[in-house]
Amino acid sequence: AHESARLTRTVENLNYSAQRLTQVWPRRFPTLAAAQPFARNPQRLANSVYGGRLGNDLPGDGWRYRGRGLIQITGKNNYRLMEHITGMPLLDEPDMLLEQEPALRASIAWWEENVPDSLLGDVSRVTRVVNGGQIGLNHRAQLTARAYRALENS
């Protein structure tokens, strides 16, 4: 729910101000001057922060395989894995993850493949698996608590 703005967004928002870039990626953008060339330039930002990693090995792969789906599947390696598991042609058609049904199928498949049941209830550890860091941890904890309450009342 956090990654997709409560299931309303199926593509990663990379349209950040320089100030926000220093908060989201402090190691990559330790100063406003370092962030400025990437501010309000989503394609350049994606190619910078995702290029050369996550299986992104060709120029433009960072943008092509940016976060999509309800869990924001990111990187060519994850798209390849989800293509293998779901049978959807995600490497050739990454925008499929902008559509509701493929976004849901791939996101559930990614979760099942990557988040072991032993982590459930540990919001910090699940966040690290999903996001690679601790971004949005408080919001994630609130959403998790709401989900548990909803399940208890059903």
Side-chain angles (χ1 to χ4, degrees):
H2 176 81
E3 297 295 328
S4 63
R6 295 187 184 168
L7 308 178
T8 63
R9 195 174 295 148
T10 55
V11 67
E12 183 177 12
N13 176 12
L14 293 166
N15 191 24
Y16 293 111
S17 68
Q19 177 67 36
R20 186 67 177 138
L21 286 171
T22 64
Q23 296 165 351
V24 174
W25 283 291
R27 289 189 187 124
R28 292 181 182 275
F29 306 108
T31 65
L32 287 174
Q36 196 58 51
F38 302 92
R40 305 290 179 215
N41 191 334
Q43 189 166 352
R44 185 173 188 191
L45 175 62
N47 285 326
S48 174
V49 298
Y50 299 137
R53 62 189 204 96
L54 305 172
N56 297 327
D57 55 353
L58 299 174
D61 276 356
W63 175 251
R64 182 168 173 82
Y65 300 108
R66 67 192 179 278
R68 289 189 189 85
L70 298 174
I71 203 160
Q72 302 296 304
I73 293 166
T74 306
K76 190 187 280 186
N77 284 345
N78 280 314
Y79 279 72
R80 182 180 293 113
L81 178 62
M82 291 306 95
E83 179 173 286
H84 175 74
I85 291 172
T86 67
M88 295 183 292
L90 299 175
L91 288 172
D92 289 335
E93 299 178 44
D95 281 343
M96 284 184 76
L97 294 181
L98 302 178
E99 302 167 25
Q100 287 181 344
E101 192 269 338
L104 181 60
R105 281 182 54 207
S107 296
I108 290 171
W110 187 92
W111 181 277
E112 289 294 318
E113 185 70 19
N114 290 282
V115 181
D117 288 349
S118 64
L119 292 187
L120 298 181
D122 188 335
V123 178
S124 180
R125 289 177 65 197
V126 170
T127 297
R128 187 158 306 282
V129 171
V130 171
N131 183 269
Q134 296 292 292
I135 293 175
L137 185 59
N138 290 336
H139 185 239
R140 294 167 193 274
Q142 292 169 0
L143 291 168
T144 300
R146 284 178 86 184
Y148 276 115
R149 283 194 305 271
L151 291 171
E152 287 172 356
N153 294 327
S154 63

